[in-house]
């Protein structure tokens, strides 16, 4: 029985360490469609969903957050979000990104070893284009 208790303690400590190493962040950008969302991601899972708000919301869940370089910005043309893994320590890093976008949002994606889920979107998908990017032109 004591071995089982020790095992549970080890599992609980490992779980706590994992949870401490996960960083969650949500960014919100008020936009006026039509607008463009540009994402450059490495080794991440990205999920897109459409909603009626005039806001682009990007939620990130970074495991081993010390292994990531993030940059986000907005200008009159759109929203830009980059999540790249750092060399060496980034090999441990994983990410889940969720983007909520309004209708008439054009998506420009530069994905490196990523998985992609699209839910409730309308538009034309162009895979791959001549410039190596993935384009989704939303019809709203």
């Amino acid at each position: 029985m004591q071995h089982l208790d020790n095992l549970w303690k080890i599992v609980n400590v490992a779980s706590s360490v994992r949870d401490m190493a996960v960083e969650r962040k949500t960014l919100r950008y008020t936009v006026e469609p039509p607008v463009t969302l540009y994402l450059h991601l490495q080794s991440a899972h990205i999920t897109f969903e459409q909603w009626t708000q005039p806001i682009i919301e990007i939620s990130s869940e970074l495991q081993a957050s010390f292994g990531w370089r993030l940059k986000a910005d907005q200008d009159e043309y759109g929203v830009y979000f980059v999540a790249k893994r750092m060399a060496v320590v980034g090999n441990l890093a994983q990410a889940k990104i969720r983007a909520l976008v309004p209708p008439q949002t054009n998506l420009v994606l530069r994905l490196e070893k990523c998985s992609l889920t699209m839910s409730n979107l309308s538009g034309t998908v162009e895979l791959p284009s001549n410039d190596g990017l993935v384009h989704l032109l939303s019809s709203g």
Side-chain angles (χ1 to χ4, degrees):
M1 187 68 171
Q2 186 175 359
H3 292 296
L4 185 58
D5 288 340
N6 288 337
L7 213 78
W8 277 116
K9 288 178 186 176
I10 291 170
V11 167
N12 288 332
V13 168
S15 177
S16 297
V17 169
R18 184 198 69 220
D19 291 343
M20 287 186 327
V22 173
E23 180 181 323
R24 291 172 180 85
K25 183 182 288 191
T26 299
L27 304 169
R28 290 179 183 86
Y29 299 94
T30 302
V31 295
E32 252 187 73
V35 65
T36 296
L37 172 59
Y38 172 86
L39 292 166
H40 184 169
L41 304 174
Q42 288 180 329
S43 300
H45 177 80
I46 176 72
T47 300
F48 289 99
E49 293 181 49
Q50 195 171 58
W51 67 346
T52 58
Q53 304 287 330
I55 295 169
I56 291 177
E57 180 178 288
I58 302 170
S59 300
S60 60
E61 184 177 298
L62 307 173
Q63 192 169 34
S65 60
F66 55 84
W68 288 95
R69 290 180 293 154
L70 294 179
K71 181 70 177 161
D73 203 359
Q74 179 180 21
D75 64 17
E76 64 270 15
Y77 302 108
V79 174
Y80 310 88
F81 182 83
V82 178
K84 296 179 76 174
R85 295 189 322 174
M86 297 175 68
V88 184
V89 295
N91 289 334
L92 304 171
Q94 296 179 7
K96 291 180 185 176
I97 311 290
R98 180 175 178 232
L100 299 173
V101 297
Q104 297 182 332
T105 299
N106 297 313
L107 302 176
V108 179
L109 311 174
R110 183 172 298 275
L111 305 176
E112 302 172 34
K113 297 182 181 180
C114 292
S115 60
L116 172 66
T117 302
M118 295 184 177
S119 178
N120 194 32
L121 294 179
S122 300
T124 303
V125 178
E126 192 179 320
L127 294 170
S129 67
N130 292 335
D131 55 9
L133 297 174
V134 176
H135 297 273
L136 173 72
L137 306 175
S138 175
S139 60

